[in-house]
């Protein structure tokens, strides 16, 4: 533990100075803004079952993010976004939470509806839609990290806000390949049957909108507010990813996959909370998938899903936030009761200059770390991650 305390002390010494913000160029009808985000951390994993040959490779310094973003506006109707994470270039794996390409899209804005086209975040799951810069923890809950469903895809999104932004509606059609549409695994092609994935989301806020970035109530709202969101998605695929490509192998799977979820966010006088739940009904059609997922049981489908519950408080005086989160992931309800991931995560943030210069400390406590469970070992080990983010 002495190593952890030493690392923790170093991060407090390396307090960054205040940043000046994004670089903006404006013209009569055009504007362009250039910004970026750099984060690094030290991760320490407490091995639950080290055995004779303990593996300490995850105890390391790492460059969490090196993001470069361009946002622009042309005239009254067009906006565009391009965002890359240079820290992910050269990686062969694709993690939904941190792909190399984060955004490459444009938006046409009109009085009737806004239309976004290109590679973008899909409108599903509040915890997935929180921008990383405003996310207190280093890692999202397991259900919304990008292992169970895609967080980004190429397609078209229609959106409309009403009642002073208290009501927001989203609907879109996408390739269904998620982040893999941008990799050599799919080579940019759709599934063999050519069908799309359809996603929709609706939100109601009262008395005012709670933005996705408002995980902490940094303004100490004087009036209690609430946001209720419901969303769903559907895709029917012919081909699965090769078995073993991703954890749990349910992200892209043959057959029908119907996903639906609900999220409820609140904030008042510095306190904020979130409850989120998701369920997937998956009907595999490939013979290999039927064997691996249905386990020779008398059924044509299985369920997967997860839950997120979190409570946070932000102190203006201390420029600090604390957050506690419970999250649960059940990859397949047909398997044993130990085939699930359960975490309690604790988080501390020091917002030296708001989110522009912020310390992140997150500790994971694994509730279900039974060594007999068949979930991957990395989901059984407690860990702590300490680092800093700096945006410009």
């Amino acid at each position: 533990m002495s190593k952890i305390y030493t690392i923790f002390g170093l991060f407090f010494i390396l307090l960054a100075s205040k940043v000046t913000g994004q670089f903006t160029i404006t013209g009569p009808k055009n504007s362009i803004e250039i910004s970026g985000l750099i984060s690094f951390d030290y991760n320490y994993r407490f091995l639950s079952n080290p055995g004779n040959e303990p593996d300490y490779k995850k105890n390391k310094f790492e460059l969490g993010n090196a993001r470069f973003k361009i946002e622009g506006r042309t005239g009254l109707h067009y906006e565009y976004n391009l965002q890359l994470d240079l820290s992910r270039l050269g990686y062969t794996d694709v993690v939904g939470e941190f792909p190399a390409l984060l955004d490459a899209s444009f938006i046409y804005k009109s009085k009737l509806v806004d239309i976004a086209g290109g590679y973008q975040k899909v409108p599903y799951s509040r915890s997935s839609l929180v921008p990383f810069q405003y996310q207190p923890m280093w890692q999202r809950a397991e259900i919304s990290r990008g292992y169970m469903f895609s967080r980004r895809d190429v397609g078209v999104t229609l959106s409309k806000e009403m009642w002073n932004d208290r009501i927001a509606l989203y609907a879109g059609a996408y390739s269904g390949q998620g982040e893999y549409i941008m990799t050599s695994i799919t080579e940019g092609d759709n599934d063999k049957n050519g069908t799309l994935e359809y996603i929709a989301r609706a939100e109601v806020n009262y008395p005012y909108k709670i933005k996705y970035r408002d995980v902490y109530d940094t303004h100490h709202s004087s009036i209690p507010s609430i946001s209720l969101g419901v969303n769903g998605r559907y895709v029917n695929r012919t081909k699965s990813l090769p078995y073993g490509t991703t954890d749990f192998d349910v992200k892209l799977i043959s057959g029908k996959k119907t996903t639906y979820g609900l999220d409820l966010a609140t904030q008042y006088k510095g306190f904020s909370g979130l409850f989120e739940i998701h369920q997937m009904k998956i009907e595999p059609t490939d013979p290999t998938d039927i064997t691996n997922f249905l386990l020779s049981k008398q059924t044509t489908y299985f369920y997967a899903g997860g839950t997120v519950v979190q409570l946070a408080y932000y102190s203006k005086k201390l420029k600090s936030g604390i957050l506690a989160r419970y999250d649960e992931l059940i990859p397949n309800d047909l398997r044993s009761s130990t085939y699930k991931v359960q975490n309690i995560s604790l988080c501390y943030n020091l917002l030296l200059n708001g989110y522009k210069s912020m310390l992140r400390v997150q500790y994971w406590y694994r509730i279900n770390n039974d060594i007999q469970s068949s979930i991957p070992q990395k989901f059984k080990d407690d860990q702590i991650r300490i680092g800093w983010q700096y945006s410009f």
Side-chain angles (χ1 to χ4, degrees):
M1 289 295 292
S2 60
K3 292 182 180 179
I4 299 175
Y5 294 136
T6 301
I7 297 297
F8 190 78
L10 287 174
F11 280 116
F12 272 104
I13 295 172
L14 294 172
L15 295 180
S17 61
K18 292 187 177 182
V19 296
T20 57
Q22 301 89 347
F23 177 72
T24 305
I25 302 173
T26 60
K29 294 184 179 180
N30 304 284
S31 66
I32 184 170
E33 184 174 274
I34 302 173
S35 60
L37 171 70
I38 299 172
S39 71
F40 79 104
D41 62 81
Y42 181 79
N43 188 82
Y44 186 91
R45 193 180 294 268
F46 303 88
L47 300 183
S48 59
N49 184 32
N52 296 326
E53 296 183 4
D55 186 350
Y56 296 109
K57 66 183 180 182
K58 293 297 184 180
N59 297 348
K60 59 178 182 177
F61 276 110
E62 59 184 352
L63 181 64
N65 303 96
R67 298 189 176 189
F68 179 76
K69 185 176 184 179
I70 299 176
E71 298 176 280
R73 176 188 291 271
T74 302
L76 298 176
H77 301 290
Y78 288 96
E79 296 180 358
Y80 53 89
N81 300 280
L82 175 63
Q83 186 175 187
L84 302 171
D85 191 341
L86 304 181
S87 69
R88 304 305 302 175
L89 296 179
Y91 281 65
T92 57
D93 64 327
V94 176
V95 180
E97 193 168 12
F98 299 118
L101 180 62
L102 298 161
D103 198 351
S105 63
F106 69 89
I107 303 173
Y108 176 77
K109 305 178 77 70
S110 69
K111 293 182 179 180
L112 181 63
V113 67
D114 294 344
I115 305 173
Y119 182 74
Q120 58 191 289
K121 271 191 179 181
V122 298
Y124 184 88
S125 170
R126 184 180 187 92
S127 60
S128 171
L129 291 165
V130 175
F132 176 76
Q133 180 179 351
Y134 301 98
Q135 180 181 286
M137 294 197 176
W138 284 106
Q139 189 171 290
R140 300 175 200 272
E142 301 296 348
I143 186 64
S144 56
R145 287 185 62 194
Y147 289 116
M148 304 300 288
F149 49 76
S150 60
R151 300 183 56 240
R152 293 175 172 86
D153 205 344
V154 175
V156 177
T157 304
L158 307 181
S159 60
K160 178 67 175 179
E161 293 187 339
M162 302 174 288
W163 194 28
N164 292 326
D165 296 341
R166 295 188 185 99
I167 295 178
L169 304 174
Y170 307 88
Y174 311 88
S175 76
Q177 301 283 46
E179 293 82 3
Y180 289 99
I181 194 68
M182 304 300 297
T183 70
S184 59
I185 293 177
T186 66
E187 296 184 343
D189 289 332
N190 198 352
D191 186 62
K192 293 169 70 174
N193 63 15
T195 59
L196 303 176
E197 181 172 19
Y198 302 97
I199 302 176
R201 176 175 174 82
E203 294 177 20
V204 178
N205 298 264
Y206 191 81
Y208 55 84
K209 182 175 182 177
I210 302 178
K211 297 179 180 178
Y212 295 136
R213 68 184 187 182
D214 293 336
V215 180
Y216 283 131
D217 182 16
T218 56
H219 301 292
H220 278 228
S221 307
S222 59
I223 302 174
S225 59
I226 188 170
S227 176
L228 174 65
V230 292
N231 34 219
R233 53 198 299 169
Y234 172 81
V235 65
N236 187 359
R237 300 173 51 82
T238 301
K239 186 179 179 180
S240 301
L241 288 179
Y243 198 72
T245 301
T246 65
D247 289 312
F248 311 117
D249 291 296
V250 301
K251 183 172 182 175
L252 299 183
I253 189 171
S254 69
K256 298 177 182 178
K257 182 179 179 183
T258 305
T259 307
Y260 40 91
L262 176 147
D263 49 77
L264 179 67
T266 62
Q267 58 179 212
Y268 179 55
K269 290 189 175 180
F271 289 94
S272 56
L274 173 68
F275 171 78
E276 187 167 312
I277 188 168
H278 303 274
Q279 182 160 291
M280 293 167 248
K281 181 180 180 182
I282 304 171
E283 305 171 63
T285 55
D286 184 272
T288 301
D289 292 333
I290 291 174
T291 300
N292 290 328
F293 293 103
L294 301 186
L295 310 174
S296 300
K297 297 188 178 182
Q298 298 300 309
T299 181
T300 59
Y301 61 89
F302 69 96
Y303 286 106
T307 306
V308 184
V309 181
Q310 68 184 38
L311 179 65
Y313 177 75
Y314 180 75
S315 168
K316 285 185 176 182
K317 183 178 180 179
L318 300 177
K319 296 183 179 180
S320 297
I322 55 174
L323 188 150
R325 182 181 74 198
Y326 168 81
D327 73 280
E328 178 180 283
L329 170 63
I330 300 176
N332 187 337
D333 71 324
L334 299 181
R335 303 192 67 166
S336 67
S337 60
T338 61
Y339 189 67
K340 60 183 175 181
V341 181
Q342 293 174 292
N343 303 314
I344 292 178
S345 299
L346 303 176
C347 169
Y348 168 74
N349 302 106
L350 174 63
L351 280 65
L352 188 65
N353 184 25
Y355 292 98
K356 293 181 177 180
S357 183
M358 181 177 75
L359 172 74
R360 273 197 184 97
V361 181
Q362 180 179 355
Y363 174 74
W364 289 258
Y365 171 70
R366 310 292 191 179
I367 299 175
N368 187 15
N369 64 352
D370 189 334
I371 62 174
Q372 303 300 320
S373 172
S374 57
I375 62 173
Q377 183 63 40
K378 66 181 181 180
F379 294 105
K380 302 177 185 179
D381 298 331
D382 297 351
Q383 64 179 338
I384 187 170
R385 190 173 300 172
I386 306 170
W388 204 279
Q389 79 169 29
Y390 183 88
S391 64
F392 56 89

